[in-house]
Amino acid sequence: MINFVSKVAVFAFALTYSLQFVELVSGFRHWKWSSTSGKVNPLENDISALVTNLPGQPKVDFRHYAGYVTVNRTNGRALFYWFYEAASRPDEKPLVLWLNGGPGCSSVGYGATQEIGPFIVDTNGHGLKFNPSSWNKEANMLFLESPVGVGFSYSNTSTDYAKLGDDFTANDAYSFLHEWFIKFPSYRNRSFYIAGESYAGKYVPELAELVHDRNKDPSLHIDLKGILLGNPETSDADDWRGIVDYAWSHAVVSDETHKIIKENCDFNSNNIWDNEDCNKAVSELFDQYKEIDIYSLYTSVCIAESASSGDDDSYQVMMKRSSTMMPRIMGGYYDPCLDEYAKAFYNRLDVQKALHVSDGVHLRNWTICNLKIFNNWTDSKPSVLPIYKKLIAAGLRIWVYSGDTDGRVPVLSTRYSLSSLGLNITKAWRPWYHQKQVSGWFQEYEGLTFATFRGAGHAVPCFKPNNSLAFFTSFLNGESPPSTRS
């Protein structure tokens, strides 16, 4: 009898709580954009997405959430996110969306797990370790797996996967933001920034432009303040010239190969690869890069058997010549085996259950990069420099940084691209410092700041975690990177 009464009491409590939660969620659906105070109240946000039992997670004092946001109910398109509140005073700090590129690579697998998130995947995917240089020390960090087909994001309509491209991705990411704000209303009026690296050099400004344009409708307003781009693909022709000149200037290719490319490759043409001499010389360049890590010229490659099993597919993608799109190879950054560790971790049933991906019984296949997405990419803007000009005119903060040992989107590519903007220089080229050492160089223009990271590869935070956090802090504060040793 006592057990029966106890069970009834527990059921009654659970039913009352459930009804309150349903009412809360229902309220979100009819929530007015202007109603939030900006304070973080965990009961206002989607508590069903709260992550509470992630295997191997270090103990922390901040909340984090993970799950899906449906961006198209008709087709069943849903994007997976992982959101970390700021480590302290989250109600006072901005919201930053981070995107990785590819196209086809995971922002959770790279950005959150290897670079700037609070938890870095540990050796062999057995667990997580704390990242003392996490960017959530300075901001509330939102990582999005985009577009569908990346990581855990999916669509129930197979034809969606044949439409993937820049515009498709930007529109889904924009829909995601508004749906996410319904789930997390206390962040709706927060200062907002978009950051990313590599092919997200196109994603980020494209999404920023969409936000800027649609902000003309006050009911859709998002308080976008600026964008931050790391080793970004920007302008295809300039990116190609940079990759060639960088390989030559860093002794990856011979003088003869470099000369053939310069004389035969017109990177402004839509028919680059019709020139046989150009094609052969560029192939020779990438043959040399097969021997090292194109993302980090001076670090070791992963020689584990599991990490080398997909080499043939990776190089096939890298050598794709169907358009002016940049090449893509899969590889590690700081620890060249981290990709495999991430794959092992996110394909654990207990991890997927904790992240609200699966029920802990049915496994979802997770890969750090989806090669099919790259191969089927139908829409890629040849240049986002016109968007730069538009965002600069709108007064948005634009910072671009470049690790100077990256051969994939080298510092030369970025310098060539930014040079073509013709911006006036407001603060001339000079070193910037971290802990009294030269961290790199920077130059400020009217509406844009460009900086390098000395000795860093493609994913800068992997190589220079403390420096990148300091740089990120300067960006958020709208202050120049430190230009003295003090």
Side-chain angles (χ1 to χ4, degrees):
M1 184 66 176
I2 293 176
N3 288 339
F4 173 78
V5 172
S6 299
K7 289 179 180 178
V8 169
V10 169
F11 175 78
F13 173 82
L15 179 60
T16 301
Y17 178 83
S18 298
L19 289 173
Q20 290 173 341
F21 179 73
V22 168
E23 183 178 353
L24 178 65
V25 173
S26 177
F28 285 175
R29 300 299 178 188
H30 304 285
W31 175 71
K32 302 297 184 182
W33 294 129
S34 60
S35 65
T36 182
S37 65
K39 294 291 185 179
V40 175
N41 181 349
L43 294 180
E44 288 182 359
N45 297 320
D46 186 2
I47 59 174
S48 69
L50 187 66
V51 178
T52 57
N53 59 343
L54 183 64
Q57 177 197 307
K59 185 177 180 181
V60 293
D61 294 328
F62 57 84
R63 291 179 293 268
H64 58 113
Y65 304 79
Y68 285 102
V69 167
T70 300
V71 294
N72 186 300
R73 287 174 174 78
T74 301
N75 288 10
R77 281 206 309 276
L79 298 181
F80 178 78
Y81 72 90
W82 197 345
F83 171 57
Y84 306 89
E85 289 188 348
S88 63
R89 306 189 307 279
D91 56 316
E92 300 175 11
K93 293 180 177 175
L95 173 66
V96 177
L97 173 69
W98 174 271
L99 301 172
N100 278 89
C105 292
S106 166
S107 301
V108 168
Y110 282 124
T113 301
Q114 300 189 30
E115 301 180 62
I116 60 174
F119 310 131
I120 302 297
V121 67
D122 208 348
T123 304
N124 296 324
H126 293 317
L128 301 167
K129 54 188 176 184
F130 182 68
N131 177 13
S133 300
S134 172
W135 285 13
N136 84 320
K137 284 190 170 184
E138 299 297 333
N140 300 282
M141 296 298 303
L142 176 59
F143 296 88
L144 177 64
E145 293 196 311
S146 174
V148 290
V150 173
F152 292 125
S153 296
Y154 69 91
S155 175
N156 291 328
T157 304
S158 59
T159 54
D160 280 346
Y161 296 104
K163 302 174 184 176
L164 298 181
D166 286 11
D167 287 341
F168 187 100
T169 301
N171 279 284
D172 267 10
Y174 182 80
S175 297
F176 165 85
L177 285 174
H178 281 292
E179 292 294 326
W180 189 85
F181 283 130
I182 291 173
K183 291 176 176 287
F184 293 85
S186 58
Y187 291 92
R188 177 62 187 80
N189 288 334
R190 200 65 57 89
S191 294
F192 179 62
Y193 299 88
I194 310 173
E197 67 189 12
S198 196
Y199 194 80
K202 295 190 175 182
Y203 289 163
V204 170
E206 288 163 355
L207 177 57
E209 180 184 35
L210 201 55
V211 171
H212 168 70
D213 289 348
R214 296 188 183 178
N215 271 352
K216 295 172 184 176
D217 181 345
S219 68
L220 298 176
H221 188 268
I222 295 173
D223 193 18
L224 177 64
K225 298 295 188 183
I227 60 176
L228 178 65
L229 302 146
N231 288 76
E233 291 192 31
T234 307
S235 170
D236 289 349
D238 291 324
D239 290 345
W240 269 112
R241 280 190 284 271
I243 203 171
V244 169
D245 289 350
Y246 186 88
W248 171 72
S249 65
H250 287 72
V252 176
V253 296
S254 67
D255 293 349
E256 292 74 20
T257 297
H258 183 251
K259 182 180 179 182
I260 292 171
I261 294 175
K262 299 292 281 187
E263 291 178 350
N264 291 277
C265 295
D266 179 6
F267 292 119
N268 289 301
S269 170
N270 291 326
N271 302 305
I272 299 172
W273 314 119
D274 288 349
N275 185 305
E276 186 176 352
D277 290 334
C278 170
N279 213 342
K280 287 182 179 178
V282 172
S283 294
E284 167 62 20
L285 183 151
F286 286 117
D287 280 345
Q288 300 308 318
Y289 268 127
K290 288 181 183 180
E291 300 298 320
I292 59 176
D293 189 343
I294 191 173
Y295 293 107
S296 175
L297 266 65
Y298 306 117
T299 54
S300 301
V301 297
C302 183
I303 58 175
E305 290 183 9
S306 59
S308 61
S309 60
D311 279 358
D312 291 341
D313 289 339
S314 298
Y315 290 129
Q316 182 180 357
V317 173
M318 179 183 73
M319 300 302 290
K320 183 180 177 184
R321 295 286 198 276
S322 62
S323 72
T324 59
M325 283 184 68
M326 291 290 286
R328 173 73 211 176
I329 64 171
M330 308 305 160
Y333 299 138
Y334 183 63
D335 178 341
C337 299
L338 272 177
D339 289 9
E340 291 299 310
Y341 304 159
K343 183 178 179 180
F345 185 73
Y346 289 115
N347 280 305
R348 288 174 50 174
L349 276 170
D350 54 353
V351 170
Q352 293 190 5
K353 184 176 182 180
L355 295 177
H356 311 115
V357 170
S358 75
D359 56 8
V361 177
H362 302 92
L363 185 71
R364 279 188 178 273
N365 182 44
W366 185 92
T367 58
I368 199 161
C369 291
N370 185 334
L371 301 184
K372 291 182 180 178
I373 289 180
F374 179 89
N375 287 327
N376 296 328
W377 204 250
T378 59
D379 165 40
S380 177
K381 287 182 175 59
S383 174
V384 291
L385 291 176
I387 301 178
Y388 273 51
K389 293 178 180 179
K390 182 176 181 178
L391 299 180
I392 289 171
L396 294 182
R397 186 179 309 156
I398 301 177
W399 281 31
V400 182
Y401 63 89
S402 184
D404 65 10
T405 65
D406 174 29
R408 165 63 176 81
V409 188
V411 63
L412 287 182
S413 294
T414 303
R415 294 177 82 168
Y416 291 163
S417 294
L418 297 182
S419 176
S420 65
L421 287 172
L423 301 174
N424 292 326
I425 298 171
T426 59
K427 184 173 287 187
W429 190 262
R430 65 189 63 193
W432 70 277
Y433 299 87
H434 180 65
Q435 296 177 344
K436 299 184 179 182
Q437 297 295 322
V438 173
S439 189
W441 285 262
F442 78 103
Q443 186 155 285
E444 292 181 359
Y445 303 85
E446 289 184 356
L448 186 145
T449 296
F450 170 63
T452 71
F453 278 78
R454 187 167 64 100
H458 187 66
V460 166
C462 290
F463 301 88
K464 302 290 181 179
N466 294 330
N467 307 56
S468 68
L469 177 59
F471 184 81
F472 179 61
T473 303
S474 294
F475 166 73
L476 293 178
N477 292 335
E479 302 172 348
S480 300
S483 56
T484 64
R485 290 188 186 271
S486 58

